[in-house]
Amino acid sequence: MPPKFKFTRDEITSAALDLTRRAGPDGLTARALAEELGCSVKPIFGLFKNMEEVQDAVLSAAQDLYQSYLAEDMAAGKYPTYKASGMGYIRFAREEKELFKLLFMCDRKGEPPKPGKEMDVIIPLIMKNTGLTREKAELFHLEMWIFVHGVASMIATSYLDWEMETVSEVLTDAYMGLRTRFRAAEE
Amino acid sequence: MPPKFKFTRDEITSAALDLTRRAGPDGLTARALAEELGCSVKPIFGLFKNMEEVQDAVLSAAQDLYQSYLAEDMAAGKYPTYKASGMGYIRFAREEKELFKLLFMCDRKGEPPKPGKEMDVIIPLIMKNTGLTREKAELFHLEMWIFVHGVASMIATSYLDWEMETVSEVLTDAYMGLRTRFRAAEE
DNA sequence: TATAATAAGCAACAAAGGTTGCGCAACGAT
DNA sequence: ATCGTTGCGCAACCTTTGTTGCTTATTATA
């Protein structure tokens, strides 16, 4: 009996994501989103309790998109698995600056940004690649991740403007350098 | 003949800086600043053209404060000069999270965050420390700076919560690792 | 001490953004 | 084809924030 909804939750979320992409989180206002959709603000508040819920949906969609970046680089086989996770992270930062900032450059308490794969997959991989003990491998990973995050965040804020080829070379420097350093520390 | 000003430009700037420290850039509103000073908004607009000018003053004051962090760590002699610049950057990020974000985690075009010392002081220093050519030393510095910025930004956003002692150890890992890597590349 | 010049306080105005009430229109069941 | 339900557009309301006009208070000087 009631009229159909003009939009689905997903359509609205998608438009909100696009808006965030282009104008950042501050650009995501009820009125701007309505204009993006070509409607009034009512359909939005019909499907979402409030704008905060829309922002949450955007966050979630951005995370999904990030996972797709990771998955793509992991599947491409262009780089070793471990490196691919870093390259995916950085490629996401490069191509989706606003979303990267939203996901990985906001205040969080105690959860360092990580690639999709959980620690219990990553750490054994590093142990295998480098021959380090678990404890050493964890520190190695953290230090590598600091470097990767450094590159990504500097690209996302336009401090750097690098091709992925350059990124790859620099990541190799960091990886090889740290690996040698950690091996030397084992005596 | 006219009444005295109730505040100086510096007093207002200082209050604005404190406000930004505590509440971030969004916390710096005309009314909040007035309350901080214990007056109406008028004195602010008497000494500043508008809030944008206040924000500029805060930015400038934050930069001065950052320079003092750098200078202190450089002068302390606890670390070698080059390392001290990185430690100062990170210490600033640790103790002044909001100001660090304001200065070094905003969109800028093409100017990577740097310590106070100019390139023409830093690069020769690295060449001396490492024996690298100028070109290599510049890349070395950039990669080190990426790492330093990674640590600093992760601390500023509370992804990490490290003592400076830990920071020091991790910086050494990165430095020694990269130095070895760059030397090896020279054959 | 009176005065000119103007800083400060108060309150108002405008703009932006979130949210909602009102009335109309759409749509499936009858 | 009609009806009941309810989504939608419009416009309004409220809050926050930047900014400014009006009036009063202040202060160096005549």
Side-chain angles (χ1 to χ4, degrees), chain B residues 49-71:
Chain B
K49 188 167 166 290
N50 49 35
M51 285 308 291
E52 192 183 337
E53 206 174 288
V54 177
Q55 289 155 11
D56 290 346
V58 167
L59 214 64
S60 181
Q63 268 157 357
D64 290 348
L65 185 61
Y66 165 59
Q67 290 299 331
S68 79
Y69 269 72
L70 269 194

Side-chain angles (χ1 to χ4, degrees), chain B residues 1 3-4 29-31 41-42 45 50-51:
Chain B
M1 303 98 155
K4 273 190 223 163
T29 69
R31 285 176 179 78
V41 299
K42 254 297 151 64
F45 293 108
N50 49 35
M51 285 308 291

Side-chain angles (χ1 to χ4, degrees), chain A residues 1 3 29-31 42 45 50-51:
Chain A
M1 305 100 154
T29 68
R31 287 176 177 79
K42 256 296 151 63
F45 293 107
N50 48 34
M51 285 308 291

Side-chain angles (χ1 to χ4, degrees), chain A:
Chain A
M1 305 100 154
K4 272 190 224 164
F5 282 98
K6 198 162 176 181
F7 301 99
T8 65
R9 239 182 117 90
D10 280 349
E11 285 171 330
I12 295 177
T13 301
S14 171
L17 189 71
D18 279 347
L19 210 47
T20 306
R21 264 196 187 98
R22 295 202 308 270
D26 291 344
L28 179 58
T29 68
R31 287 176 177 79
L33 180 53
E35 184 166 3
E36 177 86 4
L37 289 161
C39 66
S40 76
V41 298
K42 256 296 151 63
I44 301 167
F45 293 107
L47 291 170
F48 294 85
K49 187 165 166 291
N50 48 34
M51 285 308 291
E52 194 184 336
E53 205 174 288
V54 177
Q55 289 156 10
D56 290 346
V58 167
L59 215 64
S60 180
Q63 268 157 357
D64 290 348
L65 186 60
Y66 164 59
Q67 291 299 330
S68 80
Y69 270 72
L70 270 193
E72 184 170 327
D73 283 7
M74 305 280 265
K78 185 171 177 186
Y79 307 105
T81 305
Y82 184 58
K83 182 170 187 176
S85 69
M87 293 296 286
Y89 187 76
I90 294 170
R91 193 166 61 87
F92 181 69
R94 189 173 180 280
E95 297 176 18
E96 295 288 357
K97 297 189 201 306
E98 288 302 333
L99 301 185
F100 179 85
K101 285 186 275 187
L102 197 61
L103 289 183
F104 301 115
M105 293 179 68
C106 296
D107 283 12
R108 296 269 153 65
K109 294 297 170 186
E111 355 152 5
K114 291 174 207 149
K117 295 292 179 182
E118 297 308 327
M119 278 302 195
D120 35 315
V121 178
I122 291 270
I123 298 301
L125 179 60
I126 294 171
M127 292 168 67
K128 176 169 164 292
N129 288 352
T130 62
L132 295 171
T133 64
R134 169 169 295 273
E135 191 185 1
K136 293 295 185 82
E138 283 174 359
L139 184 56
F140 176 89
H141 174 56
L142 184 49
E143 294 187 14
M144 268 312 295
W145 205 255
I146 286 169
F147 191 84
V148 167
H149 179 71
V151 173
S153 63
M154 285 171 73
I155 288 178
T157 54
S158 301
Y159 282 122
L160 290 179
D161 182 20
W162 277 351
E163 302 296 325
M164 290 309 292
E165 185 53 41
T166 308
V167 170
S168 171
E169 289 165 14
V170 163
L171 247 50
T172 296
D173 282 343
Y175 182 87
M176 299 298 280
L178 276 182
R179 195 183 65 173
T180 304
R181 165 78 181 164
F182 273 67
R183 281 188 178 159
E186 307 221 307
E187 276 117 317

Side-chain angles (χ1 to χ4, degrees), chain B residues 132-156:
Chain B
L132 295 172
T133 64
R134 167 168 297 274
E135 191 186 0
K136 293 294 184 82
E138 283 174 359
L139 184 57
F140 177 88
H141 174 56
L142 184 50
E143 294 187 14
M144 268 312 296
W145 206 255
I146 287 169
F147 191 83
V148 167
H149 178 71
V151 173
S153 63
M154 285 171 74
I155 288 178

